[in-house]
Amino acid sequence: MNKKAKYVFVTGGVSSSLGKGIISSSLAKLLQARGFSVTIQKLDPYINVDPGTLNPYEHGECYVTEDGAETDLDLGHYERFSNVPTSQANNVTTGRIYLNVITKERRGDYLGTTVQVIPHITDEIKRSIKVLGETGNYDFVITEIGGTVGDIESFPFIETVRQMKWELGNDCAVVHLTLVPYLKSAGELKTKPTQHSVKTLLEQGVQPDIIVCRTEHHLNDGIRKKIAQFCNVSKSSVIESIDASTIYEVPLLMKDEGLDVEVLKKTDTEIPEKIDLTNWTRFITNVKNPKKEVRIALVGKYVELKDAYKSINEAFIHGGAANEAKVDVKYIKAESVTGDDCEEKFKDVDGILVAPGFGNRGIEGKINAIKYARENKIPFLGICLGMQCAVIEYARNVLGFEGAHSTEMDPETKFPVIDIMEEQKNIDGLGGTMRLGAYECKITPGSHAFDAYKKELIKERHRHRYEFNNMFRKEFEGNGMKMTGINPGKDLVEIVEVKDHPWFVGVQFHPEYKSTVANPHPLFVSFVKESLKHKEERLKNK
Ligand code: GLN
């Protein structure tokens, strides 16, 4: 293809959590809708080499790419919006940059020079940005800088933006996202925090080209003028980003505000007249005006923190929209499910999802929930640990394997129905030691999984150490639990289904990572469909 990429940086000021990821994704969507190819990258200022070992309470879910990178959850937004797979190169942390530089230094690559933040660290940052542009695949590389300007941690990243802006001239634009708060007592929107955050950027040598203002109220002409004047941008480059009822509406709001046009102008790119957002608009219509509703329980360990299950939540939105339905997710803390309370806890749900996870906490609760779903013929989807728990539940309660377990929780169990993979056994430490990324899976025709995917060979993403133990395969298969998805190369069990049940599917992989607006995940679409069916029948029999 050999395209010459232009670079857009997205920085943030005033406060964290303003939604740089959503703004970056929305800009990507609009540029795509005008016919450009785009990739989005996130630079994270923390020292972890990747977020793989981070507790979800710290940074929310760990997102996994096709090539097996454990990344920030914003990459999930990038994929859901743009429908373009990301990779290791799309998420770079300070830790990774330093690790690369120190490795080079130890190898002697710097030939005796003093290794410094400028130029060595900044050069390494630059290299990891340009590597995407140099693939020749993209018209635009959008780079989101994590954190807030002024943070000590993000200095080298902002310095790199300064250098690249200088080097690239009109092939580069900087979008700065800020907050314009509304002061109730004064009855006014306030621009001062925006002015200050732009000053902070200026102190570091970066003049933003476009200012996107997060706000709860519309910006009037006066406010726009004021921000333009104080921050050295034209009025048309002051973009309002008002709170939206769904993140998926943000591209449409940004289009009305002309964010994409401003970026094209700043980067000297001819503005294509046509912009095609037909499918996107149809999706929003379905999300905003659902014809049906269904409640599905999500049984997990981190239910207080919705970001821990970000991709699952989004996959429910996509799968819901495909069924013209809204999915109301009822979070249930796994630890709290004792067994006798299942009737009470699940009486108002028509589907049960048991979430991925690590460690012992909440395991028995997950198993109790699965037993209830299986016995009461409630549509069930188990993801990763959720699938493993379904296997343990079946072993204990149907096959009569007392004390069956995963060796992750009980290394001494008599029935290790889930066990560590041979090749993982000798690995020390926890960083980067899992089966990660996309693997092939062959599906049995006639299974629920096959009905959903409508094809035999699929590729799904993994993030785990343990597997179904093939030693027990015959007992399961002979007694109603079918292995309907197998990794062809390694003969690993990837999908299990219970035969005598309307829809009971456990998957060793993470379907949620691959669900996008353009391609809602088939398993989520089917799961929601079956849950709607269950609801209809439940109401009929009432
Ligand atoms: N803890 C399990 C394993 O490592 C499952 C991991 C997960 O649910 N992502 O195999």
Coordinates of all heavy atoms in Angstrom, one line a residue, residues 229-276:
Q229 N -9.1 32.6 21.9 CA -8.2 33.7 22.1 C -7.1 33.4 23.1 O -5.9 33.7 22.9 CB -9.0 34.9 22.7 CG -8.4 36.2 22.6 CD -9.3 37.3 22.9 OE1 -10.2 37.1 23.7 NE2 -9.2 38.5 22.3
F230 N -7.5 32.8 24.2 CA -6.5 32.5 25.3 C -5.5 31.4 24.9 O -4.4 31.3 25.4 CB -7.1 32.2 26.6 CG -7.5 33.4 27.4 CD1 -8.8 33.9 27.4 CD2 -6.5 34.1 28.1 CE1 -9.1 35.0 28.2 CE2 -6.9 35.2 28.9 CZ -8.2 35.7 28.9
C231 N -6.0 30.5 24.0 CA -5.2 29.3 23.7 C -4.5 29.3 22.4 O -4.1 28.3 21.9 CB -6.0 28.1 24.0 SG -6.7 28.0 25.6
N232 N -4.6 30.4 21.7 CA -4.0 30.5 20.3 C -4.5 29.5 19.3 O -3.7 28.9 18.6 CB -2.4 30.4 20.3 CG -1.8 31.0 21.6 OD1 -2.1 32.1 22.0 ND2 -0.9 30.2 22.2
V233 N -5.8 29.3 19.3 CA -6.3 28.5 18.2 C -7.5 29.2 17.5 O -8.0 30.2 18.1 CB -6.8 27.1 18.7 CG1 -5.7 26.3 19.3 CG2 -8.0 27.3 19.7
S234 N -7.9 28.8 16.3 CA -9.0 29.5 15.7 C -10.3 28.9 16.3 O -10.3 27.9 16.9 CB -9.0 29.2 14.2 OG -8.9 27.8 14.0
K235 N -11.3 29.7 16.2 CA -12.6 29.4 16.9 C -13.1 28.1 16.4 O -13.7 27.3 17.2 CB -13.6 30.5 16.7 CG -14.6 30.6 17.9 CD -15.6 31.7 17.7 CE -16.8 31.1 17.1 NZ -17.7 32.0 16.4
S236 N -12.9 27.8 15.1 CA -13.5 26.5 14.6 C -12.7 25.3 15.2 O -13.2 24.2 15.1 CB -13.4 26.5 13.1 OG -12.0 26.6 12.7
S237 N -11.5 25.6 15.8 CA -10.8 24.5 16.4 C -11.1 24.3 17.8 O -10.5 23.5 18.5 CB -9.3 24.8 16.3 OG -8.9 24.7 14.9
V238 N -12.1 25.0 18.3 CA -12.6 24.8 19.7 C -13.8 23.8 19.5 O -14.8 24.2 19.0 CB -13.0 26.1 20.4 CG1 -13.6 25.8 21.8 CG2 -11.8 27.0 20.5
I239 N -13.6 22.6 20.0 CA -14.6 21.6 19.7 C -15.4 21.2 21.0 O -14.7 21.0 22.0 CB -14.0 20.3 19.2 CG1 -13.1 20.6 17.9 CG2 -15.0 19.2 18.9 CD1 -13.8 20.8 16.7
E240 N -16.7 21.3 21.0 CA -17.4 20.9 22.2 C -17.6 19.4 22.2 O -18.0 18.8 21.2 CB -18.8 21.6 22.1 CG -19.8 21.1 23.1 CD -21.2 21.6 22.8 OE1 -21.5 22.8 22.9 OE2 -22.1 20.7 22.4
S241 N -17.4 18.8 23.4 CA -17.7 17.4 23.6 C -18.6 17.3 24.7 O -18.2 17.1 25.9 CB -16.4 16.6 23.8 OG -16.7 15.3 24.1
I242 N -19.9 17.3 24.4 CA -20.9 17.3 25.5 C -21.2 15.9 25.9 O -21.0 14.9 25.1 CB -22.2 18.0 25.0 CG1 -23.0 18.5 26.2 CG2 -23.0 17.2 24.0 CD1 -23.9 19.7 26.0
D243 N -21.6 15.7 27.2 CA -21.9 14.3 27.7 C -22.9 13.7 26.8 O -23.9 14.3 26.4 CB -22.4 14.4 29.1 CG -21.4 14.8 30.1 OD1 -20.2 15.0 29.7 OD2 -21.7 15.0 31.3
A244 N -22.6 12.4 26.4 CA -23.6 11.7 25.5 C -24.2 10.5 26.3 O -23.6 10.0 27.3 CB -22.8 11.2 24.3
S245 N -25.3 10.0 25.9 CA -26.0 8.9 26.6 C -25.3 7.6 26.3 O -25.3 6.7 27.1 CB -27.4 8.8 26.2 OG -27.6 8.6 24.8
T246 N -24.6 7.5 25.2 CA -23.8 6.3 24.9 C -22.5 6.8 24.3 O -22.5 7.7 23.5 CB -24.5 5.3 24.1 OG1 -23.5 4.6 23.3 CG2 -25.5 5.9 23.1
I247 N -21.4 6.1 24.6 CA -20.1 6.5 24.0 C -20.1 6.4 22.5 O -19.4 7.1 21.8 CB -18.9 5.6 24.5 CG1 -19.2 4.1 24.4 CG2 -18.6 6.0 26.0 CD1 -18.0 3.2 24.6
Y248 N -21.0 5.5 22.0 CA -21.0 5.3 20.5 C -21.6 6.5 19.8 O -21.6 6.5 18.6 CB -21.8 4.0 20.2 CG -21.1 2.8 20.8 CD1 -21.6 2.1 21.9 CD2 -19.9 2.4 20.3 CE1 -20.9 1.0 22.4 CE2 -19.2 1.3 20.8 CZ -19.7 0.6 21.9 OH -19.0 -0.5 22.4
E249 N -22.2 7.4 20.5 CA -22.7 8.6 19.9 C -21.7 9.7 19.6 O -21.9 10.6 18.9 CB -23.8 9.2 20.8 CG -24.9 9.8 20.0 CD -26.1 10.3 20.8 OE1 -26.1 10.0 22.1 OE2 -27.0 10.9 20.3
V250 N -20.5 9.5 20.3 CA -19.5 10.6 20.3 C -19.0 10.8 18.8 O -18.9 12.0 18.5 CB -18.4 10.3 21.3 CG1 -17.3 11.3 21.2 CG2 -18.9 10.2 22.7
P251 N -18.8 9.8 18.0 CA -18.4 10.1 16.6 C -19.4 11.0 15.9 O -18.9 12.0 15.2 CB -18.3 8.8 15.9 CG -18.1 7.8 17.0 CD -18.8 8.3 18.2
L252 N -20.7 10.8 16.2 CA -21.6 11.7 15.5 C -21.6 13.1 16.0 O -21.7 14.1 15.2 CB -23.1 11.1 15.6 CG -23.3 9.6 15.2 CD1 -24.7 9.2 15.3 CD2 -22.8 9.5 13.7
L253 N -21.4 13.2 17.3 CA -21.3 14.6 17.9 C -20.0 15.3 17.4 O -20.0 16.5 17.1 CB -21.2 14.5 19.4 CG -22.5 13.9 20.1 CD1 -22.2 13.8 21.6 CD2 -23.7 14.8 19.9
M254 N -18.9 14.5 17.3 CA -17.7 15.1 16.8 C -17.8 15.5 15.3 O -17.2 16.4 14.9 CB -16.5 14.1 17.0 CG -16.1 13.9 18.4 SD -15.6 15.4 19.3 CE -17.0 15.7 20.3
K255 N -18.6 14.7 14.6 CA -18.8 15.1 13.2 C -19.5 16.4 13.1 O -19.1 17.3 12.4 CB -19.6 14.0 12.5 CG -19.9 14.4 11.0 CD -20.7 13.3 10.4 CE -21.4 13.8 9.1 NZ -22.7 14.5 9.4
D256 N -20.6 16.6 13.9 CA -21.3 17.9 13.9 C -20.4 19.0 14.3 O -20.6 20.2 13.9 CB -22.5 17.8 14.9 CG -23.5 16.8 14.4 OD1 -23.4 16.4 13.2 OD2 -24.4 16.4 15.2
E257 N -19.4 18.8 15.2 CA -18.5 19.8 15.6 C -17.4 20.0 14.7 O -16.6 20.9 14.8 CB -18.0 19.5 17.0 CG -19.0 19.7 18.2 CD -19.1 21.2 18.5 OE1 -18.1 21.9 18.6 OE2 -20.3 21.7 18.5
G258 N -17.2 19.1 13.7 CA -16.2 19.2 12.7 C -14.8 18.8 13.2 O -13.8 19.3 12.6
L259 N -14.7 17.9 14.1 CA -13.3 17.5 14.6 C -12.5 16.9 13.5 O -11.3 17.3 13.3 CB -13.5 16.5 15.7 CG -12.1 15.9 16.2 CD1 -11.2 16.9 16.8 CD2 -12.4 14.8 17.3
D260 N -13.1 16.1 12.7 CA -12.3 15.4 11.6 C -11.9 16.5 10.5 O -10.7 16.5 10.1 CB -13.1 14.3 10.9 CG -14.5 14.8 10.5 OD1 -15.1 15.7 11.1 OD2 -15.0 14.2 9.5
V261 N -12.8 17.4 10.2 CA -12.4 18.4 9.2 C -11.3 19.3 9.7 O -10.3 19.6 9.0 CB -13.7 19.3 8.9 CG1 -13.3 20.5 8.1 CG2 -14.7 18.4 8.2
E262 N -11.3 19.6 11.0 CA -10.2 20.4 11.6 C -8.9 19.7 11.5 O -7.9 20.3 11.1 CB -10.5 20.8 13.1 CG -11.6 21.8 13.2 CD -11.3 23.2 12.6 OE1 -10.2 23.7 12.8 OE2 -12.1 23.6 11.7
V263 N -8.9 18.4 11.8 CA -7.7 17.6 11.7 C -7.2 17.5 10.3 O -6.0 17.7 10.0 CB -7.9 16.2 12.3 CG1 -6.8 15.2 11.9 CG2 -8.1 16.2 13.8
L264 N -8.1 17.4 9.3 CA -7.7 17.3 7.9 C -7.1 18.6 7.5 O -6.1 18.7 6.8 CB -8.9 16.9 7.1 CG -9.4 15.5 7.3 CD1 -10.7 15.2 6.5 CD2 -8.3 14.5 6.8
K265 N -7.7 19.7 8.0 CA -7.2 21.1 7.6 C -5.8 21.2 8.2 O -4.9 21.7 7.5 CB -8.2 22.2 8.2 CG -9.4 22.4 7.3 CD -10.1 23.7 7.5 CE -10.5 23.9 8.9 NZ -11.6 24.9 9.2
K266 N -5.7 20.9 9.5 CA -4.4 21.1 10.1 C -3.3 20.3 9.5 O -2.1 20.6 9.6 CB -4.4 20.8 11.6 CG -5.4 21.6 12.4 CD -4.9 23.1 12.5 CE -6.0 23.9 13.1 NZ -5.9 25.3 12.8
T267 N -3.6 19.1 9.0 CA -2.6 18.3 8.4 C -2.5 18.4 6.9 O -2.0 17.5 6.2 CB -2.9 16.8 8.8 OG1 -4.2 16.5 8.4 CG2 -2.7 16.5 10.2
D268 N -3.1 19.5 6.4 CA -3.0 19.8 4.9 C -3.5 18.6 4.1 O -2.9 18.2 3.1 CB -1.6 20.0 4.5 CG -1.3 21.5 4.5 OD1 -2.2 22.3 4.7 OD2 -0.1 21.9 4.4
T269 N -4.6 18.0 4.5 CA -5.1 16.9 3.7 C -6.4 17.3 3.0 O -7.2 18.0 3.6 CB -5.5 15.7 4.7 OG1 -4.4 15.6 5.6 CG2 -5.7 14.4 4.0
E270 N -6.5 16.9 1.8 CA -7.7 17.3 1.0 C -8.9 16.7 1.7 O -8.9 15.5 2.1 CB -7.6 16.8 -0.4 CG -8.4 17.6 -1.3 CD -8.2 17.1 -2.8 OE1 -7.0 17.0 -3.2 OE2 -9.2 16.9 -3.4
I271 N -10.0 17.4 1.8 CA -11.2 16.9 2.6 C -12.1 16.2 1.6 O -12.8 16.9 0.8 CB -11.9 18.0 3.3 CG1 -10.9 18.7 4.2 CG2 -13.1 17.5 4.1 CD1 -11.4 20.0 4.9
P272 N -12.3 14.9 1.7 CA -13.2 14.2 0.9 C -14.6 14.6 1.2 O -14.9 14.7 2.4 CB -13.0 12.7 1.2 CG -11.8 12.6 2.1 CD -11.6 14.0 2.7
E273 N -15.4 14.8 0.2 CA -16.8 15.3 0.5 C -17.7 14.2 1.2 O -18.4 14.5 2.1 CB -17.5 15.7 -0.8 CG -17.7 17.2 -0.8 CD -18.2 17.6 -2.2 OE1 -19.3 17.2 -2.5 OE2 -17.4 18.4 -2.9
K274 N -17.5 13.0 0.7 CA -18.3 11.9 1.1 C -17.9 11.4 2.5 O -16.8 11.2 2.8 CB -18.3 10.8 0.1 CG -19.7 10.3 -0.3 CD -19.7 9.1 -1.2 CE -20.1 7.9 -0.3 NZ -19.6 6.7 -0.7
I275 N -18.9 11.2 3.4 CA -18.7 10.6 4.7 C -19.8 9.6 4.9 O -21.0 9.9 4.9 CB -18.5 11.6 5.8 CG1 -18.3 10.9 7.1 CG2 -19.6 12.6 5.9 CD1 -17.7 11.8 8.2
D276 N -19.4 8.3 5.1 CA -20.4 7.3 5.2 C -20.5 6.7 6.6 O -19.6 6.0 7.0 CB -20.1 6.2 4.2 CG -21.1 5.1 4.2 OD1 -22.2 5.2 4.9 OD2 -20.9 4.1 3.5

